[in-house]
Amino acid sequence: MARLFGTDGVRGLANRDLTAELTVDLAVAAAHVLRAEGEFAGHRPRAIIGRDPRASGEFLAAATMAGLASAGVDVYDAGVLPTPAIAFLIADYGVDLGAMLSASHNAMPDNGIKFFARGGHKLDDALEDEIEQRLGAEWERPTGAAVGRVRPLTDGAERYISHLVDALPNRLEGLHVVLDTAHGAASEVAPEAFRRAGARVTQIGGEPDGLNINDGYGSTHLDKIQAAVVEFGADLGIAVDGDADRCLAVDASGQVVDGDKIMTILGLAMKERGELANDTVVVTVMSNLGMLQALERSGLRYVQTAVGDRYVLEEMKRNGHALGGEQSGHVILTAHGTTGDGTLTGLMLAARVAQSGRTLAELAEVMTQLPQVLINVKGVDKLRVDGDEGVQAAVKEVEAELDGSGRVLLRKSGTEPLVRVMVEADTQERAQTSADRLADVVRERLSLG
């Protein structure tokens, strides 16, 4: 049986894969597991629940609150806020746990639930496995005054916005920023934070109606913000995804600045301010080779982890690093949060532009991005990819041909039934040819048909 939890909580088609019944059971199991871990020792537990604006989040958030309250947890309903806001508020209020209902950058019909422990930290794999094992187990239900209460959290947005602005090293006066909030969870808090920091803001993708989240807008659909930055003559653009835990940027000419370039720019800025612990940036195996070369040229070190911001964060916590993230725009700044925060990342990037007096395009020149081709191979048995001799022989053959001028990565998707084939090379043609060849081998060797 496949593991219920993926790389970022439980996710699937809302009301088909992720039902109200399953969500209630997950919430109850999470409460019991965290109680057993001693998270609630000696006091009545409290939780904060948030969601993005997709329609299914309304009943799934209600189901989460019902499950927790039935297990004796007092619940505070934060309403529509970004994932990093919920993580921040859990720590800021000192509550025992929390949950976010969101499918992040996925299309509106999907939804998901991710749990946080005390301090706003995502649960590790072992705790998620325990929650899954507790589903449907018998338990003693509290009654009377022992059941949890549900109340609104009225000042969550204000506390989060103040936190974002206070984190900045300098103001943003003089900057014109286009924000694409993906008709998502940051549609109100992100523009307000940028305005309070001094920026002039033009917003697109800021009219959520429950059905339009990520629909042609946000960090996975950059064409609109590229056009808007040029049309309005803005200094830069910041695009977040539906739950605003990631962001990508656009320079004044409409060119994309991805997560690797953002982290390189922020890493150098933090080093100048004496804030980059260990002079090290934590990245994943998907980060572009050009980024790794740029960090080395700048006198910075890097550590690579598996894909997923939770694994980046685990490494950061283990060794005290201050900056890490992913090419997709998940950037973690441990001085200010426990998870990727697209709004905070965008603010920090804008602050670097304002402080340096240089354009975003000039700052991004620190890194030369190697051509990278990523092919998602569907309809294959992803669990066999690491052990198949034919696939691994093909990988070694391509690596030998690249001879240090690029690299190859085959990775099982954590959330979908596919294998990702990634090749970097010194030319786009070479990267494409090699990736196509490897994808064909994966299809032939691992086909489910």
Side-chain angles (χ1 to χ4, degrees):
M1 179 178 174
R3 187 174 186 265
L4 184 61
F5 285 87
T7 55
D8 202 17
V10 178
R11 192 179 297 183
L13 182 61
N15 217 27
R16 185 78 57 81
D17 302 320
L18 185 62
T19 63
E21 295 87 347
L22 174 59
T23 305
V24 169
D25 290 346
L26 284 166
V28 169
H32 290 161
V33 166
L34 290 174
R35 184 186 296 276
E37 290 292 316
E39 292 286 331
F40 312 154
H43 66 276
R44 185 181 175 102
R46 299 179 300 154
I48 292 175
I49 307 302
R51 64 181 179 89
D52 70 26
R54 66 189 78 211
S56 59
E58 297 168 3
F59 76 80
L60 291 173
T64 305
M65 290 185 276
L68 291 174
S70 74
V73 179
D74 287 335
V75 181
Y76 296 90
D77 179 7
V80 175
L81 281 176
T83 293
I86 300 304
F88 162 74
L89 291 170
I90 291 167
D92 197 45
Y93 278 94
V95 302
D96 305 285
L97 76 158
M100 178 70 185
L101 283 301
S102 176
S104 191
H105 58 281
N106 286 26
M108 184 277 294
D110 287 349
N111 215 323
I113 181 169
K114 63 188 82 175
F115 292 102
F116 297 89
R118 187 190 301 276
H121 297 285
K122 291 182 181 180
L123 306 188
D124 61 29
D125 289 346
L127 283 177
E128 288 183 340
D129 288 341
E130 285 187 49
I131 291 171
E132 191 167 337
Q133 291 165 11
R134 290 289 293 263
L135 289 175
E138 291 294 322
W139 58 290
E140 185 176 347
R141 299 170 183 270
T143 59
V147 301
R149 305 294 298 275
V150 179
R151 299 178 176 88
L153 187 70
T154 57
D155 65 344
E158 178 59 34
R159 290 173 77 143
Y160 175 60
I161 292 168
S162 296
H163 158 69
L164 293 174
V165 177
D166 290 345
L168 289 178
N170 54 268
R171 301 277 297 169
L172 308 184
E173 271 82 11
L175 286 187
H176 180 189
V177 181
V178 175
L179 290 182
D180 180 351
T181 50
H183 297 306
S187 292
E188 293 187 12
V189 294
E192 180 63 18
F194 271 85
R195 290 189 186 103
R196 289 196 198 177
R200 174 187 168 198
V201 175
T202 298
Q203 184 179 15
I204 63 174
E207 299 177 353
D209 62 9
L211 305 177
N212 60 359
I213 188 171
N214 299 318
D215 187 6
Y217 287 86
S219 60
T220 53
H221 304 278
L222 295 175
D223 55 314
K224 290 186 176 64
I225 193 170
Q226 288 176 287
V229 168
V230 174
E231 177 186 352
F232 293 109
D235 296 293
L236 70 156
I238 299 294
V240 299
D241 63 336
D243 71 334
D245 65 349
R246 69 170 74 180
C247 90
L248 295 178
V250 173
D251 68 23
S253 68
Q255 293 299 306
V256 174
V257 178
D258 71 3
D260 285 347
K261 288 187 177 181
I262 291 171
M263 283 189 289
T264 305
I265 294 168
L266 295 185
L268 292 175
M270 292 172 67
K271 182 183 181 183
E272 284 183 13
R273 297 195 300 268
E275 298 174 356
L276 188 65
N278 311 315
D279 283 345
T280 298
V281 181
V282 181
V283 301
T284 77
V285 293
M286 289 294 287
S287 289
N288 192 274
L289 181 59
M291 176 194 186
L292 309 184
Q293 295 169 343
L295 292 174
E296 289 177 339
R297 286 195 304 269
S298 301
L300 302 182
R301 294 184 286 271
Y302 62 86
V303 177
Q304 288 183 289
T305 74
V307 173
D309 63 336
R310 64 190 298 167
Y311 304 116
V312 172
L313 181 59
E314 286 172 8
E315 170 62 28
M316 296 174 74
K317 289 164 58 180
R318 186 163 48 244
N319 291 297
H321 303 307
L323 172 66
E326 300 183 276
Q327 188 182 73
S328 61
H330 279 115
V331 177
I332 304 172
L333 297 155
T334 52
H336 308 293
T338 60
T339 186
D341 190 331
T343 306
L344 177 63
T345 301
L347 284 163
M348 288 293 189
L349 187 64
R352 179 58 167 172
V353 172
Q355 177 270 328
S356 69
R358 302 170 67 192
T359 67
L360 180 56
E362 290 170 337
L363 291 172
E365 288 175 355
V366 69
M367 172 185 159
T368 300
Q369 199 160 26
L370 291 184
Q372 185 182 83
V373 173
L374 177 64
I375 299 176
N376 292 327
V377 185
K378 301 179 180 179
V380 295
D381 183 355
K382 65 181 182 180
L383 299 179
R384 290 169 44 212
V385 65
D386 294 332
D388 187 89
E389 293 182 1
V391 171
Q392 295 307 313
V395 168
K396 290 179 181 177
E397 185 176 321
V398 170
E399 288 176 333
E401 292 172 359
L402 293 174
D403 192 25
S405 65
R407 65 189 182 113
V408 174
L409 179 67
L410 267 61
R411 186 174 72 87
K412 302 181 288 290
S413 170
T415 57
E416 301 174 80
L418 54 85
V419 171
R420 305 189 197 280
V421 176
M422 188 275 284
V423 177
E424 289 173 346
D426 50 358
T427 68
Q428 184 69 34
E429 180 181 7
R430 196 174 187 188
Q432 187 69 59
T433 300
S434 299
D436 287 339
R437 196 166 102 211
L438 286 174
D440 287 342
V441 172
V442 170
R443 288 190 194 95
E444 179 183 344
R445 299 281 303 185
L446 307 182
S447 174
L448 292 172

